[in-house]
Amino acid sequence: MRSIVVLPTYNEAETIRPYVRALRAVSTDIELLVVDDNSPDGTGDIVRELGADDPGIRLLHRDAKDGLGAAYRAGFRTVLSEDYDVIVSMDADLSHDPAVIPTMLELIEQGADVVIGSRYVEGGGTANWPMRRRVLSRWGNAYTRAVLGIHVRDCTAGFRAYRSDVLAAIDPGTTRAEGYAFLTELIRRLDHQGYRIEETPITFTDRTLGSSKMSPTIIAESMWRVTRWAVVNRLFGRGRH
């Protein structure tokens, strides 16, 4: 299967080289599209340098930072117009281990439409997270499952592999959410349309380089949108179609 990783970045100059080394240790065939939001620390320049030596690495430069959802929409729009079988999304901060990608691709080959690298299935977990972050993440996912009726354990996980035709079918370009709510919005669409979603355990390791992009605004947007979607489901009916 022809596969590509879509990797949003903003100020990841410290992590992008180690990330590429880790990806290439796994496979020399998986391609990489870095979607950089005009990082002032020179992340885009480093990607261009890496791409000069590795034709499988490309840069999609964006002029401004306007949210995780917008970056993914731009990246997905680019790769969905090309001939890929599988599209992988993940973080650039080394919290997601590229060594899990072959397992995700194998599950796709076995019939899954989407595979989530999950912290909250047996064998999964988090490392180096403070208790407040652990509680917030678990509570947020439990709330999302409860009010939306979704059985996915890790709705906000950013480490995923999608069959490209399935990702195209849910039309990510029409999503509205930013931040981690964007990831939940995709899962909501996939679940409603009855696609086969599988979770494989990962250990999410908190970043040691650079700074976290998590903010109170991102958390508030996620909770507001999930609650709004739940109300819409109640008013207009929820069901697979």
Side-chain angles (χ1 to χ4, degrees), residues 143-149 188 192 223-238:
Y143 177 76
T144 298
R145 290 195 305 273
V147 301
L148 296 183
R188 177 175 180 256
H192 283 195
M223 291 299 99
W224 176 81
R225 286 196 179 273
V226 167
T227 302
R228 182 177 181 277
W229 291 328
V231 171
V232 169
N233 288 349
R234 291 291 185 91
L235 290 176
F236 298 102
R238 176 195 180 279

Side-chain angles (χ1 to χ4, degrees), residues 1 3 7 10 21 24 60 72 83 102 109 115 118 120 150-151 158-159 162 181 187 194 216 222 224 235 241:
M1 296 186 296
S3 306
L7 192 75
Y10 184 75
R21 285 197 296 270
R24 283 293 171 254
L60 176 59
Y72 268 128
D83 189 24
E109 285 190 307
V115 179
S118 178
Y120 302 129
I150 293 173
H151 298 295
F159 195 5
Y162 305 87
I187 288 296
S222 183
W224 176 81
L235 290 176
H241 54 83

Side-chain angles (χ1 to χ4, degrees), residues 93-137:
D93 60 7
L94 305 178
S95 57
H96 296 149
D97 185 355
V100 180
I101 293 177
T103 299
M104 302 171 92
L105 297 180
E106 183 178 353
L107 290 169
I108 293 284
E109 285 190 307
Q110 292 172 0
D113 295 313
V114 181
V115 179
I116 297 173
S118 178
R119 298 162 289 185
Y120 302 129
V121 294
E122 185 176 358
T126 57
N128 305 325
W129 259 15
M131 182 58 66
R132 181 183 66 85
R133 185 83 182 271
R134 291 174 188 263
V135 170
L136 178 64
S137 178

